[in-house]
Amino acid sequence: MDKERTLILCKPDALQRNLLGAVISRFERKGLKLVGIKMVGLSDTELDEHYAHLKDKPFFEGLKKYMKQTPVVAMVLEGEECIDAVRLITGATKGAEADAGTIRGDFAMATPGNIVHASDSVENAKEEIYRFFNDDELYDYAKIDETFLYWKD
Ligand code: UDP
Ligand code: MG
């Protein structure tokens, strides 16, 4: 199984609604390894790049305004095939439509306020991690639960 890294942004509503710990806890208890974390105030340039696929949408300016209300907490998580696994934990884009048990399904009602961003593909994860983290801000370390988490006989 391929070891992957994915980018998470805890969005301004996660901070304002005191859900940062709850969000991080969901990734922790799944067994994902935190390899980078920091608080970042997003610039227009970063948002234009990060949400380039939405630049022609009517909600684009509102989305940028929402993302700039407070700093966000950016994290890089690592795990075997973790990009898709993290998207499952995150849930569908619109909070009201997201499955119960997902972060968005449990904590969000709408868009753009849907608590978290998570990379959606190997290619995008690489690009997004590079956008927000320098190499020396990402850590390699052994985690003692890995033998049990990825047990193979
Ligand atoms: N968004 C929005 N209105 C929409 C669709 C998306 O405000 O109709 C916001 C929402 O915050 C979402 C972000 O734009 O998380 C990025 O959209 P994308 O389609 O990439 O969804 P995601 O990958 O976050 O599920
Ligand atoms: Mg997306």
Side-chain angles (χ1 to χ4, degrees):
M1 295 270 207
D2 286 341
K3 193 164 78 173
E4 296 174 346
R5 286 182 169 182
T6 191
L7 180 90
I8 302 295
L9 300 176
C10 299
K11 296 180 175 182
D13 48 332
L15 276 75
Q16 293 289 19
R17 295 183 50 216
N18 307 312
L19 292 171
L20 203 50
V23 168
I24 294 173
S25 165
R26 291 188 174 219
F27 296 124
E28 268 192 308
R29 70 189 192 189
K30 178 73 168 170
L32 294 156
K33 187 198 285 186
L34 185 64
V35 298
I37 185 165
K38 65 178 170 184
M39 195 169 234
V40 199
L42 298 175
S43 66
D44 278 311
T45 310
E46 283 166 330
L47 283 167
D48 287 342
E49 281 176 20
H50 188 68
Y51 286 133
H53 61 297
L54 301 172
K55 70 174 186 333
D56 296 326
K57 299 283 185 193
F59 57 82
F60 185 62
E61 287 307 318
L63 171 61
K64 283 174 62 178
K65 197 169 165 191
Y66 152 69
M67 290 297 286
K68 289 192 292 187
Q69 289 178 105
T70 68
V72 299
V73 173
M75 298 186 280
V76 178
L77 299 174
E78 184 182 279
E80 291 188 9
E81 303 198 322
C82 74
I83 295 169
D84 287 348
V86 162
R87 289 285 293 191
L88 288 176
I89 294 171
T90 301
T93 305
K94 294 183 179 161
E97 295 172 9
D99 286 339
T102 64
I103 292 170
R104 290 166 170 175
D106 289 352
F107 299 140
M109 279 302 288
T111 52
N114 59 8
I115 310 289
V116 281
H117 165 82
S119 307
D120 64 4
S121 66
V122 173
E123 193 183 43
N124 285 341
K126 284 208 174 90
E127 200 175 301
E128 291 174 359
I129 291 168
Y130 181 73
R131 177 172 304 128
F132 295 109
F133 285 85
N134 298 319
D135 282 348
D136 65 2
E137 294 172 318
L138 299 173
Y139 295 88
D140 274 315
Y141 60 98
K143 206 152 170 292
I144 59 170
D145 59 7
E146 283 172 0
T147 309
F148 288 90
L149 195 60
Y150 299 112
W151 176 257
K152 290 175 191 88
D153 198 9

